[in-house]
Amino acid sequence: MTEKSDSGKKPPRKKAVALRYDREKEPAPIVVGKGIGLLAEKLIELAKEHEIPIHEDADLIEILSRLDLKEEIPAATYLVVAEILAFIYRTNESYG
């Protein structure tokens, strides 16, 4: 049996996308993992175990989840992803 909300619709399934960016080797971040439902939960769990920062953005995940593995992120997402990466780098420097 599947859970349904009061409106009769199924609750949204969790999505996750993992990115890698090595500015010396790659011109843009690339998708290295993605999943929906249980696979998304496993990706998030692994990220937490390895102290990989997690950022939640429903609009961005909709765009990134459409990409294939090993595909570069689209140019339209560069600014928002750059802002997230800059925040992560600053955070790491503060706590490192």
Side-chain angles (χ1 to χ4, degrees):
M1 186 167 174
T2 336
E3 285 185 48
K4 293 189 177 185
S5 65
D6 292 338
S7 65
K9 295 181 181 178
K10 292 181 185 177
R13 295 176 69 194
K14 186 171 284 208
K15 293 182 181 180
V17 174
L19 300 177
R20 177 184 72 209
Y21 181 52
D22 182 341
R23 58 183 151 197
E24 294 179 13
K25 295 180 182 178
E26 299 154 346
I30 62 169
V31 176
V32 294
K34 66 180 192 168
I36 299 173
L38 292 175
L39 185 54
E41 291 174 16
K42 184 64 175 173
L43 282 171
I44 293 166
E45 179 184 318
L46 284 170
K48 288 177 181 178
E49 285 176 16
H50 294 279
E51 298 180 358
I52 296 170
I54 298 169
H55 177 79
E56 293 185 35
D57 184 319
D59 295 328
L60 183 58
I61 197 71
E62 286 305 317
I63 294 167
L64 298 179
S65 65
R66 293 181 186 136
L67 301 176
D68 292 325
L69 292 177
K70 299 184 182 178
E71 186 174 352
E72 289 181 6
I73 64 169
T77 64
Y78 284 2
L79 182 59
V80 69
V81 171
E83 289 173 354
I84 294 165
L85 291 173
F87 172 77
I88 291 168
Y89 292 141
R90 284 192 306 272
T91 303
N92 285 343
E93 288 176 3
S94 297
Y95 293 104

